[in-house]
Structures are given as C-alpha cells and as structure tokens.
Amino acid sequence: MAPSGPGSVRRRCRRVLYWIPVVFISLLLGWSYYAYAIQLCIVSMENVGEQVVCLIAYHLLFAMFVWSYWKTIFTLPMNPSKEFHLSYAEKELLEREPRGEAHQEVLRRAAKDLPIYTRTMSGAIRYCDRCQLIKPDRCHHCSVCDKCILKMDHHCPWVNNCVGFSNYKFFLLFLAYSLLYCLFIAATDLQYFIKFWTNGLPDTQAKFHIMFLFFAAAMFSVSLSSLFGYHCWLVSKNKSTLEAFRSPVFRHGTDKNGFSLGFSKNMRQVFGDEKKYWLLPVFSSLGDGCSFPTCLVNQDPEQPSTPAGMNSTLKTPENHQFPAKPLRESQSHLLTDSQSWTENTANPGKGKAGMSNPALTMENET
Ligand SMILES: [Zn+2]
Ligand SMILES: [Zn+2]
C-alpha cells in the first residue's frame, strides 16, 4: 500500500505545483497560435500570398517547437545501470564501516572494474548515499527528482524534468525552435506592430493581439538567444551546465575541458553521427551515458584506446588501484582519430575550487 501521511501529501502537492511553469508555457503557446494564425494571418493580412507563406512557415515552426518541447518534458532521465549499484553485501559492509578510509576502501573495491575516471574534490570515489550507488562520470544526484541522473545538465522547471543524457539534444532543439518561432513571429509581425502605433490598423480586437504578440516574441527572443548561445558554447566544449560551474575532478586533478574531444566530436557526442537526425527530436546521441571518452585518463599501457604519444604528456596518477576500463564499443571510435587531441590542454594539479550556485540542484560533494 502506498504510504500516506502529511509528508506524502506535501510531496504530491509539490509535484502538482511543479507543473505550473509547463502549463504557463502551454497556455502562452496556445494564445500565440490564436493571435498569430487567426488574428494576424487570417483577419489582418490582406495579401493572400503573404498569408499562405506565413501560415505554412508558422505551422512548420510551431510543429517542431511543440515536438521538441514534448520530447524534453516526457523523456525520462536515465539512471545509472545495475553495475553501479552496490551489492547487498557491499551495502552491509559500508554500513558497518565508519566514514573515512575504511569506507573508501569498500567503495574502491566495488569501483575497481567500473569505467569511472572522475573523483570528488577530495579525491574520493563519488558515491550517492541516497541511491546507494557509485556515481558514473558526469552523473549527479538531482534533489528535485531524488535520483541520480546520467550526464545531468540541470533540473529545468520550464519542462518539469531533469535535462541530462537522455534528453539534452531535445532540450537544445527546444531552445533552437522556440527561438526561431519567436524570431519569425517578431519579424513578420513588425510591420503590423508599426501600423498599430501609426493608427494604420482597423479598430478591432486583432490590433491588441498584434501588439502583445510582438512584445512577447521580442522579449522571449532576447532571453532565449542568450540561453541558446550559452548551450551552444557548452556543447562545443563538451561541458554540462553543472560542469561549467564546477569543473570535473580527475585522478590527476581538476580539468575544465576534461571531456572535450574537439569541436566536431563534441557536437557528434550530442547529435550523433547521422546528419539526417540532427534537426529532429529523436534520440541520436552517442554512448550509453555511463562512461565518456576522455583523453586525460587513458594512461594505462593496457588501454587499447590510448592514442600514441599521450602517455608521455600525463603524470601517472597516485591511485593505481583503479585500472581504467576500456571505453565501451559505442564510444571508443570517437577516440580513434588523432586529430581530436589539439583542444585538450591538461592542467595537472592546477585544480580550482568549484563555484557554487544556489540555483543548481546538484548535491554537494566533498
Ligand atoms: Zn543519487
Ligand atoms: Zn531533476
């Protein structure tokens, strides 16, 4: 039976409240459809050619916007696979051990065959007490979803979902199409907006829709373009929003570009190899979300994916007890081309303390 009590009622109320921003965006979108397609195109436009072109282009953008928004909201975030969860015996052992070195020893043994390269700020294995699992690289615990999310970017209230490995591409397309949608509306509405102020529009209710439509489209264009620009920069550097605020810590130290493989490969990691899927909100990202190619940690001479010449440039890490597992089939091909190493400037030991942002929902690691 489901537990009921003040706590669970509060949780259910909170879950309902979380949908308010999504409802707000949907209502705004519904109104914009009515204002643009009906009031502007059908009621106010006199030129049939202009009407047809605007309506076709508008519906195309509207459909792509809704599709990518829908996919961002309803694609479940991916959680770490079974191999990252501790076994029953390991959990028992962990509970018995006091915090500290013995605790770490249990985790180290559990993590020895896992493809993890990142550590906490203090160099410990990243472990989630709440989910009782060893966190894969780039995975973080979201306090809103109360789950560990693979390649967590941020928890987005506007989609009431965590943006992470499973839906980051959809989120980017949602930003892109919503920006195009707003720019298109602002551009085609501009001449009617000017007519509004010069008293060139007939005195009907359409003129107010036309005015508010332009204001809303222009305002959202500005905020969306800065957000979209920021995420384009993140993709080009292969960073998540969380990693931009707090650089990942590898065994040799902090490296803000630790996952970057060069512009083209960074793009392909999110959008995939097949160009035909790039602009569609269908999943095409590379990898499994649990392990990520990085040139900084493949120092093990037994590593098949280590590129020639890399070993000499990197210091041997102190923790020999974690042999890095070769990358999975789906990702290792990203590392086969030697041209990708130009952007990676390793900064061993030059770690800087991560910035903290109260808006972020990632749990702190020590
Ligand atoms: Zn967790
Ligand atoms: Zn979340």
Side-chain angles (χ1 to χ4, degrees):
M1 212 175 86
S4 60
S8 78
V9 172
R10 240 198 324 269
R11 253 197 312 278
R12 239 172 288 159
C13 284
R14 224 176 8 215
R15 235 174 279 155
V16 172
L17 290 178
Y18 285 151
W19 283 102
I20 289 175
V22 176
V23 172
F24 172 74
I25 298 269
S26 306
L27 288 175
L28 200 64
L29 195 64
W31 165 75
S32 74
Y33 184 89
Y34 171 75
Y36 190 87
I38 312 291
Q39 295 292 348
L40 179 66
C41 292
I42 294 173
V43 175
S44 306
M45 283 181 186
E46 282 159 7
N47 184 322
V48 180
E50 185 190 6
Q51 230 173 19
V52 171
V53 171
C54 282
L55 278 172
I56 291 174
Y58 174 80
H59 278 92
L60 205 68
L61 285 173
F62 182 83
M64 293 311 289
F65 179 4
V66 172
W67 186 10
S68 52
Y69 190 41
W70 181 275
K71 291 283 280 191
T72 316
I73 297 171
F74 294 107
T75 301
L76 288 175
M78 267 168 72
N79 313 116
S81 54
K82 262 212 305 273
E83 58 195 302
F84 289 89
H85 289 255
L86 293 189
S87 66
Y88 183 73
E90 284 164 337
K91 278 185 212 168
E92 273 208 324
L93 208 59
L94 213 58
E95 272 165 29
R96 275 208 302 271
E97 297 293 352
R99 295 251 155 201
E101 194 42 43
H103 203 266
Q104 268 300 302
E105 192 50 47
V106 176
L107 292 179
R108 243 177 256 153
R109 249 178 288 137
K112 76 177 189 317
D113 289 328
L114 294 174
I116 52 169
Y117 304 133
T118 55
R119 297 288 181 266
T120 64
M121 295 299 278
S122 59
I125 299 279
R126 299 169 69 243
Y127 176 70
C128 179
D129 280 315
R130 192 109 180 116
C131 310
Q132 297 192 305
L133 54 81
I134 290 164
K135 290 181 191 169
D137 290 345
R138 314 186 83 175
C139 167
H140 296 281
H141 186 90
C142 173
S143 51
V144 181
C145 304
D146 198 21
K147 272 179 198 149
C148 273
I149 310 292
L150 292 184
K151 199 190 174 193
M152 181 179 169
D153 190 88
H154 67 290
H155 186 93
C156 180
W158 298 106
V159 297
N160 188 26
N161 199 4
C162 240
V163 177
F165 177 74
S166 63
N167 62 351
Y168 188 59
K169 182 195 167 194
F170 307 153
F171 177 73
L172 284 174
L173 290 177
F174 157 59
L175 289 183
Y177 287 122
S178 55
L179 175 61
L180 280 176
Y181 180 80
C182 290
L183 288 174
F184 175 79
I185 289 178
T188 49
D189 191 21
L190 180 63
Q191 53 167 315
Y192 297 92
F193 180 73
I194 293 168
K195 275 188 196 164
F196 174 89
W197 295 103
T198 53
N199 293 323
L201 284 181
D203 207 10
T204 59
Q205 59 155 327
K207 63 190 272 189
F208 293 102
H209 285 291
I210 286 167
M211 184 191 68
F212 286 121
L213 196 59
F214 183 82
F215 272 129
M219 208 177 68
F220 278 101
S221 296
V222 172
S223 46
L224 281 168
S225 55
S226 55
L227 192 60
F228 182 61
Y230 178 63
H231 276 279
C232 287
W233 175 77
L234 287 178
V235 172
S236 75
K237 297 283 176 191
N238 205 336
K239 286 182 197 189
S240 66
T241 304
L242 294 178
E243 286 159 358
F245 279 95
R246 186 193 290 169
S247 302
V249 182
F250 293 85
R251 284 179 288 175
H252 62 270
T254 305
D255 195 304
K256 62 179 177 6
N257 289 320
F259 291 107
S260 182
L261 305 170
F263 180 77
S264 140
K265 289 181 181 189
N266 293 344
M267 288 284 289
R268 275 163 51 202
Q269 221 173 71
V270 175
F271 288 95
D273 285 330
E274 293 195 67
K275 284 186 181 148
K276 63 182 176 196
Y277 296 124
W278 284 3
L279 299 180
L280 298 177
V282 291
F283 187 82
S284 58
S285 302
L286 299 181
D288 58 4
C290 282
S291 58
F292 296 89
T294 164
C295 67
L296 301 170
V297 286
N298 293 326
Q299 313 139 54
D300 193 326
E302 287 168 21
Q303 287 284 298
S305 54
T306 304
M310 282 304 291
N311 288 341
S312 57
T313 61
L314 290 160
K315 301 273 173 286
T316 313
E318 61 277 39
N319 297 328
H320 290 287
Q321 59 267 56
F322 316 121
K325 197 174 160 184
L327 288 166
R328 289 160 197 209
E329 193 69 11
S330 54
Q331 294 160 2
S332 55
H333 79 284
L334 274 169
L335 289 171
T336 51
D337 185 340
S338 60
Q339 284 171 357
S340 63
W341 310 109
T342 49
E343 205 186 316
N344 291 288
T345 45
N347 289 332
K350 216 179 132 197
K352 70 166 197 265
M355 289 159 68
S356 65
N357 182 343
L360 298 177
T361 45
M362 175 179 79
E363 298 219 324
N364 286 331
E365 285 165 352
T366 48

